[in-house]
Amino acid sequence: MMAAPFTASGVAIAVDPSRMLDEICSHFAEHSTVKRDGRQVTLEMTIGKADIRQDGPKLEIELSCKSARALQNVRSVLAEHLFQFAGEEALELTWSDAPKADRLPDLREIRVVGSRNISPHMRRVTVACHDARHFAHGGLHFRLLIPPKGRTPIWPKLRSDGRIEWAKDEDALTVRIYTFRSIDLDRGEIDIDFVLHEGENMPGAEWALNAKPGDIAGALGPGGGGVPDATSMILAGDETALPAISRMAAEVSAGTRLRIFLEVDGPTEELPLPSAGTVDLTWMHRNGAPAGTMGLVETAIKNALADADADTFVWAGCERSEAKRIRHFLKTERTHDRHKMSIGAYWER
Ligand SMILES: Cc1cc2nc3c(=O)[nH]c(=O)nc-3n(C[C@H](O)[C@H](O)[C@H](O)COP(=O)(O)OP(=O)(O)OC[C@H]3O[C@@H](n4cnc5c(N)ncnc54)[C@H](O)[C@@H]3O)c2cc1C
């Protein structure tokens, strides 16, 4: 990894630091490359790295990231997980330059200006944001913060230990991850495409279904990876990844070769994917079978890789267990370069 200019040092004093180190390794193996040498652990993520060393009751942490935003995100994620792994046990976490306790720098309020179905099960909600430019670079995704009905939203704040302090009880926000499908900087408007999926108690899909002009929510981001830097890509996913794949197709430069595989229920869910790249697009239909049960995305990637060169970037977004199988296949059977893949668990059955 190239030298990263944004750094922070932290110390966590834990009751059982070696168990914490084990938990860090097993949890982050899904999201990063984990290297362990006894009491020394390195987590390598696309946006930076964390070195964690156990010294007696202490975990000494060194973070090194590509941007101030990445540093803030990695610190928050690590801090949240350390407290989660500590559970009921005491944990003291301090940072050399403690973050200023304040409103989150990546949080913006968004206001619904309109919504409409663009296919039977895909609803486009257009929101206004006074600072839409903030979301234009640094990742395609964001956390949608849905306030409880009828209450004035209380937005999260940053704590000095790096964690995020969320409103509780009747003010608790509901958080779901979505993609900025497109951002209109001139109008200060953003389109977000929501899958109206099967299920019960689904605050994200229901928010979109009921969205009316004037509704307020929070958007925390951007994050979660951008358009891969590659001239040849396989992009595959189900309808939850359709907004991300559409945006990537729309943003690649002319000459980029894209083989796209999209799983949807049927032909009426297919949407146009304009692109300056050379696109070879395959729609795959479930024809009424439940989402996340057919392994169509996994099979498409395996077949496409049979005649793809090693430089091909493989990107996927789909149901968690399918994403896990794809990641396993790429890492162990295909031994695909880990810098040339991004496989996301977009939802869980
Ligand atoms: C990086 C990233 C980007 C994403 N971008 C988008 C996006 O742009 N648009 C989008 O619609 N989604 C997107 N998703 C997926 C979305 O976050 C999940 O589908 C989320 O679970 C929806 O929340 P919910 O409140 O509607 O349902 P939940 O409360 O999470 O789940 C309720 C029930 O619905 C089921 N369920 C959830 N999602 C689906 C599904 N897709 N199909 C079938 N059953 C489902 C669950 O298993 C559960 O039983 C993205 C996810 C990630 C990680």
Side-chain angles (χ1 to χ4, degrees), residues 118-122 239 242 262-273 281-285:
I118 54 170
S119 76
H121 290 98
M122 187 71 92
E239 51 272 76
L242 177 50
L262 277 161
E263 174 190 321
V264 292
D265 187 55
T268 55
E269 298 296 336
E270 295 178 8
L271 291 165
L273 272 91
L281 170 61
T282 306
W283 290 97
M284 306 178 293
H285 298 151

Side-chain angles (χ1 to χ4, degrees), residues 122 141 174 176-180 192-206 224 238-241 243-244 291 344-349:
M122 187 71 92
H141 312 291
T174 302
R176 293 289 183 273
I177 300 177
Y178 286 94
T179 304
F180 295 118
I192 311 161
D193 290 353
F194 292 78
V195 179
L196 304 178
H197 56 82
E198 298 290 312
E200 287 170 19
N201 301 325
M202 32 192 201
E206 281 160 12
D238 61 25
E239 51 272 76
T240 59
Y346 267 39
W347 62 283
E348 187 163 6
R349 270 192 72 78

Side-chain angles (χ1 to χ4, degrees), residues 19 36 63 70 116 123 186 188 228 334:
R19 179 186 60 77
R36 181 165 192 173
L63 305 180
R116 65 192 170 95
R123 188 156 185 86
D186 293 333
R334 168 91 187 176

